[in-house]
Amino acid sequence: MGKQIQPVIIRRQRKHEAEQAIKDLIVRGFEIISPLKQEGQQSEVLNHYSFEQKRYQVVDFSSPWIAKLRRVVE
């Protein structure tokens, strides 16, 4: 049989937890495909004021930290 690629996606709420998970997988032979990044960091929320004005406000929803790794298995 040929080589198999095992992809893994890391999702953690806290950055230091994601970094630790990546370190643990690298020790096991995984390599990083996509570096650690925070997905959807900020969103715009429509606020309605009592005097009928509409405004957008940028809100941080503490989105997860995501990285992609893989390991080639023979």
Side-chain angles (χ1 to χ4, degrees), residues 4-10 25 30-31 33 67-73:
Q4 288 183 318
I5 297 176
Q6 294 179 334
V8 174
I9 298 175
I10 301 290
L25 288 173
F30 284 80
E31 62 182 17
I33 298 172
K68 294 180 184 176
L69 295 91
R70 71 175 177 193
R71 179 171 63 173
V72 177
V73 179

Side-chain angles (χ1 to χ4, degrees), residues 4 6-7 24 38 54:
Q4 288 183 318
Q6 294 179 334
D24 293 344
Q38 192 172 22
K54 296 178 183 177

Side-chain angles (χ1 to χ4, degrees), residues 13 38-45 57-65:
Q13 285 298 109
Q38 192 172 22
E39 197 170 80
Q41 295 177 12
Q42 296 177 339
S43 296
E44 292 183 349
V45 176
Q57 176 184 3
V58 177
V59 177
D60 182 10
F61 287 108
S62 67
S63 298
W65 289 88

Side-chain angles (χ1 to χ4, degrees), residues 12-64:
R12 300 289 187 275
Q13 285 298 109
R14 294 180 180 85
K15 185 176 182 180
H16 72 293
E17 291 175 355
E19 290 171 342
Q20 185 61 50
I22 290 169
K23 287 177 189 176
D24 293 344
L25 288 173
I26 288 175
V27 169
R28 295 181 189 172
F30 284 80
E31 62 182 17
I32 297 173
I33 298 172
S34 176
L36 186 63
K37 62 184 174 185
Q38 192 172 22
E39 197 170 80
Q41 295 177 12
Q42 296 177 339
S43 296
E44 292 183 349
V45 176
L46 180 63
N47 283 345
H48 293 277
Y49 291 92
S50 60
F51 46 88
E52 296 298 322
Q53 286 187 352
K54 296 178 183 177
R55 297 184 187 193
Y56 282 94
Q57 176 184 3
V58 177
V59 177
D60 182 10
F61 287 108
S62 67
S63 298

